Amino acid sequence: MRSARPVGLLLSAAAVLLWAIGMTVLQPLTEPIGPWSERLPGNNAYWARDLRFAAIVAVVLGLVLAGRGRRRWSGPAVVLGGLWVAADVAIDRADPVGVEATVLLAAGGCAVLGTLAAILLRRDRRVRPAGADRRALTGAACVAGVLTLVAAGIESPTDREPELNPSAFATGVLLVALTIGAALAAAPARTRARCVLAAGLGVAAVSGVGLIRAIPPGPRSLPELALGAVLLTGVTLLAWDWPGGRPAWRHHALAALAALVGPVAMLLVVSVTMMVLVPIGATLTALAGNSPINAADSDLLVSLAGVLAGLGMALLLAWPPALGYRPDPPSPPGPVGPGGPDGLAGGRPASAERR
């Protein structure tokens, strides 16, 4: 997909803006006033932190999309994400508030993003560009898809904050765009059928995010299951090969079953593990200088659980044979040519469709 680079960079820049707003506008709403024990926050108190973390992941995924999944872009993008999380904790400790702080953080974040993109683009000009890494792009789509469920279902202790629904909806829509963009970039060919499918999937997913935000937290479970199944099954329809020009419906049916059950099951397992064994949320809360969650509740970084669950779904859905990767045939006996056993061009992934 030729538009992958500008689309990925544009979505990363949008994620930077959401992160800046989350830091200066939303985060102050979640911090309790006073150190008294009866005012210690409870479950989901730091929902703004989860949305910021999702925005940071969106910055990384946008860079992965811009680099078409190649390691030359993916590696620096992941490093940038880790450094951004550290900077987020430090900035949160400083408690920036106001329009000036929002503009400053957004401008600074975009400057960092632009600098890294310029460096990577210059490196690309010096090296012959390789093809897209379809497995990496499909994996990125899976992470964005599962994280969409987290953003769409994010809650606060009261769910009465007027800023909660718009911010969660905006983050969810951004992640939907990244999901579909990465899946379409992973496709072996950008055909009209795939583009129409991507448009329909986008409308359905955005409508699903809006529906989830419009209903109370209790009855959200079924719509979230449906959204995950539709979005991740759509990823396979966009990214996988279509043998003979049509989807292999039997394989996509199995993918739909995995998309229905997998995200929720993985989110549950990862969340319990984080609460019992790895209290990352409490550690980040302490480092940021915020009030700890009361002992009766848990300080869970739900968005991190979403990332890990998304990586788990990537292991299931970024299936090499479905993405055109074939095992190399055994080399025939005889002398090896000057280009090695794979010839001058070397081995590369096969595809069932023409580009």
Side-chain angles (χ1 to χ4, degrees):
M1 189 171 73
R2 295 180 179 179
S3 58
R5 180 157 296 167
V7 169
L9 293 177
L10 180 62
L11 293 176
S12 288
V16 172
L17 179 59
L18 289 180
W19 170 80
I21 294 173
M23 178 64 74
T24 59
V25 178
L26 303 181
Q27 180 62 28
L29 301 176
T30 67
E31 296 180 359
I33 301 175
W36 305 282
S37 59
E38 63 270 16
R39 293 195 177 185
L40 288 179
N43 287 328
N44 306 312
Y46 295 122
W47 54 268
R49 180 183 63 186
D50 275 301
L51 292 179
R52 288 202 317 274
F53 190 88
I56 293 172
V57 176
V59 173
V60 175
L61 295 176
L63 287 172
V64 173
L65 173 58
R68 300 180 67 192
R70 294 191 293 266
R71 291 184 181 179
R72 192 177 295 113
W73 283 71
S74 301
V78 172
V79 172
L80 175 65
L83 295 175
W84 208 305
V85 171
D88 178 274
V89 173
I91 296 171
D92 187 9
R93 194 175 184 89
D95 295 327
V97 180
V99 177
E100 293 182 358
T102 305
V103 174
L104 181 61
L105 288 180
C110 287
V112 171
L113 177 65
T115 301
L116 178 60
I119 294 172
L120 295 176
L121 286 170
R122 180 174 296 181
R123 288 174 57 185
D124 273 357
R125 294 192 186 101
R126 297 176 182 175
V127 182
R128 182 180 178 182
D133 187 333
R134 296 179 61 195
R135 290 190 67 184
L137 288 168
T138 306
C142 291
V143 172
V146 176
L147 205 53
T148 300
L149 304 182
V150 173
I154 204 76
E155 302 175 12
S156 75
T158 63
D159 279 315
R160 295 176 181 174
E161 296 85 351
E163 297 85 356
L164 174 59
N165 280 337
S167 56
F169 178 76
T171 305
V173 170
L174 174 65
L175 290 166
V176 166
L178 283 166
T179 303
I180 297 174
L184 196 57
R190 189 179 176 183
T191 61
R192 181 180 179 182
R194 290 183 192 266
C195 291
V196 171
L197 177 61
L201 179 61
V203 172
V206 170
S207 301
V209 173
L211 174 64
I212 291 172
R213 296 312 311 173
I215 60 180
R220 285 178 182 169
S221 299
L222 289 179
E224 287 178 0
L225 281 174
L227 176 61
V230 169
L231 196 54
L232 293 177
T233 304
V235 167
T236 66
L237 286 169
L238 290 174
W240 287 7
D241 287 349
W242 290 5
R246 294 182 179 181
W249 294 112
R250 183 176 60 181
H251 294 162
H252 291 292
L254 294 175
L257 179 61
L260 180 65
V261 179
V264 175
M266 292 184 184
L267 278 170
L268 180 61
V269 171
V270 172
S271 298
V272 172
T273 303
M274 290 174 60
M275 286 189 293
V276 175
L277 300 177
V278 190
I280 296 177
T283 302
L284 293 178
T285 299
L287 291 174
N290 295 325
S291 300
I293 299 296
N294 67 69
D297 294 320
S298 57
D299 191 351
L300 178 64
L301 189 60
V302 185
S303 50
L304 177 58
V307 171
L308 297 177
L311 292 174
M313 290 304 300
L315 294 176
L316 295 177
L317 300 183
W319 189 38
L323 296 171
Y325 292 85
R326 303 289 185 267
D328 293 331
S331 300
V336 178
D342 293 321
L344 294 174
R348 60 181 179 180
S351 175
E353 299 176 70
R354 294 182 179 178
R355 291 188 176 273

